[in-house]
Structures are given as C-alpha cells and as structure tokens.
Amino acid sequence: VYLETYGCQMNVNDTEIAWAILQKNGYVRTKDLDEADVILLVTCSVREKAEQAIWNRLQHLKALKAQRQQARLPLRIGILGCMAERLKEEILHREKLVDIVAGPDAYRDLPRLLAVAESGQQAANVLLSLDETYADILPVQTSAGGTTAFVSIMRGCDNMCSYCIVPFTRGRERSRPIASILQEVRMLSDQGVKEVTLLGQNVNSFRDMSEVQFQSAAAPVLSRGFSTVYKAKPGGLRFAHLLDQVSRIDPEMRIRFTSPHPKDFPDEASVLQLIQERHNICKQLHLPAQSGSTRVLEAMRRGYTREAYIELVHHVRECIPGVSLSSDFIAGFCGETEEDHQQTVSLLREVCYNVGFLFAYSMRQKTRAYHRLQDDVPADIKKRRLEELITVFREEAARANEAMVGQSQLVLVEGPSKRSVLELCGRNDGNIKVIFPDAEIEDAAGCKALVRAQPGDYVLVKVTSASSQTLKGVLLCRTTLSHSAACH
C-alpha cells in the first residue's frame, strides 16, 4: 500500500491510523508508487484548491492504472478522508478509476472495502459516527525523524462557523478517553519522541465522558464577550485536566496543542496557568481570528467581537509572558467591504503574530454561507486583499522575530536544514524554525567531550539574525528541557 497525505495535521494523524489498521491486516507499506498494489490518498476539503490537487493527482494515476491493466497487474485506488465524505458518489462516477471511497470515520472498514475492490467492484463507506475516536488504535508514527508526533484527542466539530465544511466532513464533536491518550503519549515517550502535539478541530472544548463519575462536572464558563451556537455541555473531564496529565508523563517531552477556539479560554484560565507553570508545555498558542471586523465575524458565526478577541489576546499575554501567537485569517469572505478588510489589516498590526495561515475565501457546498450568503467579493479583489494581509503579517512577524536577536533560544533539533547539509534545523518553544551550523559543541550536563547535535537533542542557540519565517544563530551547547528550565 502507498499512502499520500494532503491537508492538515489531522490528516497526517488519520494516515497513521489507516496505516495501523492495514498493517494489522497484513499490508506492507511502500514509498515507491510503482511497487504499490493499492494507492490511498488521504484528502482535504477545506478549500477548493486542496480538492483540485486531488483531481489533478487522479489524472496522473489514470495513466499508471492503464499501464497496469495492460500488464494484467491490478492496481486499486482509494480516496480517504474529508473529500471522500463531501463528494461521495461524484468521485465514484466522475473518476471510474477510483475503487474505494472511505470517510474519516470508516478507516476500520478499509480491509473489507479493499476486499470488495479486489473483486472488481467499487466500494464506499462514508457513514459518520457519533462515537468513533479510534481510541484503541495506536497510530504508527510516520512524522519528522521520530522526534515529533501528533496525537489526536478528539474528532469532529460542533461550532458551525458559516464558512466551514468540517462539521459536515468530520461530523459531530467527540472526545477520546483520557486513559487511551495517556497510553499513547507514554508509548511515544518510550520510543524517544521529544515533542507531542495534541490535535483536535477544537481541542479546548475536549471533554472525556467515558466514565460515569466524569459526568457530574458543571458546564464550563465562556470568556467575557464570547458566545456559542450550541448549549454549553455539562460533565466530563476537561482539556485542562488532560493537559495537566499529559505534561506530567515525561519532563523531557514538549507538549503543544492545536487548534483551540478563542471562546473556550474561560476566565479561570486554568489552561493558560498550566502553560505558564509547566516548563514542558510550549509557550505558544494558536488563536484563530479569521477576521478583524466584528461585522464579518458575526456573518462567520464566530461567537465574538473584535474587542473581545483583542481583550483575550491581552489576557493571554499577561498570563504567559513572551508567548508566541499564531492565527488563521480568511480574505474576502461574503460581504466583506474594504473597511472590513482594513480592520483585519489593523488587527494583524495590533497583535503582531509570530506565525500566520492566510487564505482567500472559497465557498463550500453544505455550509451555512452556501445557503444563506452571497460569495460576492470578486476573485481579483480577494487576491489583492490576501496579498496585503500576507505582506502586513510578514512585516509584523519579522519585527516580532527580530526582537529575539541576541537572545539564546532552546531548540529541539529535527534534522539537517533543507538548504545546506552543513546546517541543522529545529524549532524553538514558540514553534519558529531555527537554523544553525552543524558544529561540535559542549554538553551542558558537564561532560568535557565535544558532541554533535542529533535529531531529538535540545540545544541552546544564540540568535544572530531573523526573518518573518526563521531565526538563524550559533550553537552554544547541548542541554535538556529540565536543565534549561532550571537555569532560566
């Protein structure tokens, strides 16, 4: 089987789940397309561009399948994930070369679907589940050199933002039992993984309802100025409890999480407190804003105003000094005026994010915007506005990163830099890429011999220059997460 992943980190994790299921059923994985009997594409539906990449890929695979048929060597092709869920029959009818279609909750069914495809029939399972979390399946890790890993803590989303396809492709929100998450993180720690990212469409609305005694807790309080389209749900062990437990497993393992929703940082701020207190929870937060205009935020059904969002940012910065912030923005949403756009520009200037994900709006079928709103911003104006947002974001990110010049940063080494074999690359606590020479260094633990940094090592790097995307620096020494925290 040959697996190819498109889209978000959730899809990287889904690929690992699908592979774990197939491996148990006797499949062997190949990195060589020509060796494959089965090609599975794990797909994304969030934007039109992501889907177009899949249609283009299928055209390329068409020729490969035709060659195989001539040589009487059958090749099975499958579409997995969000696009499979969204387009179901269209994929089977439009591309006769696709043999199986499996939605995000149907990966357990892959061996059966592939067996049906063996007999020459097309097979599909796009049933969405109210309780599937793949809690008992330990994904087979495939990410960066074994130093980092994604751990899925929940699936689906209930927020129903008007632009978003996710509730329709991934279904309702459901959380994995904490016990199974802790088991997976312990296993990763034993394997030497040094950084785990807890994944969910909306991580901070996590609640484990798997045991009766968890069900009596009160419903959470939303931050001031925030609202939700669904009724606040009582009961369950919350995200702060999970974060507390996960961070205790291995003091040498960094913990990150994505993606939270701004409305779910309640006033008691226990999550923010934990980030501030624990040396191994990264001082980095993803706070998706989407727009800087209250009018547009209301049309998007985000549940907050510009003012409430800015107040939350100030609150976060007070609680976690030096926090690194990232965000998502959509340019040219339905009805967005030039004034709305300028408000997004000014929010980017005011907050000064370290990392940003910015996209032009593309209307998705099934969403509330599709049924209720007009996609009325012309493509050329979307493009111009997106370019303006990217320019402003880069200017501000460069300013934020330049403030680190002269400082020493703790970096987790990931491997050689893409541009030069003489340099290594890693990320600092704020998830910003750091490039430094691959040189011999001292070990802070006090052994006199010089060492070379390896993937999975923590090193101190003195920053000498910065851009909007990366920091560059010189190596000071090799260290550990605990030792570095004790020194600061």
Side-chain angles (χ1 to χ4, degrees), residues 18 46 73 94 123 186 202 213 223 250 273 280 309 364 384 413 425 430 436 444 476:
V46 167
L73 293 166
R94 182 169 150 186
R186 278 189 205 100
N202 186 17
Q213 70 267 28
S223 308
D250 180 351
Q273 241 168 329
N280 63 334
Y309 180 88
R364 315 310 286 136
R384 173 184 62 77
V413 182
C425 161
F436 48 93
L476 298 177

Side-chain angles (χ1 to χ4, degrees), residues 4 15 35 64 84 93 103 105 150 179 187 189-190 207 217 226 247 286 300 302 340 377 386 438 449:
E4 209 164 83
T15 304
E35 260 188 2
L64 184 62
H93 297 323
D105 290 347
F150 298 121
M187 181 190 81
S189 167
D190 292 344
R207 44 189 218 121
F226 288 78
S247 67
H286 187 60
M300 289 177 164
R302 289 292 289 166
D340 294 325
V377 179
L386 176 62
D438 180 5

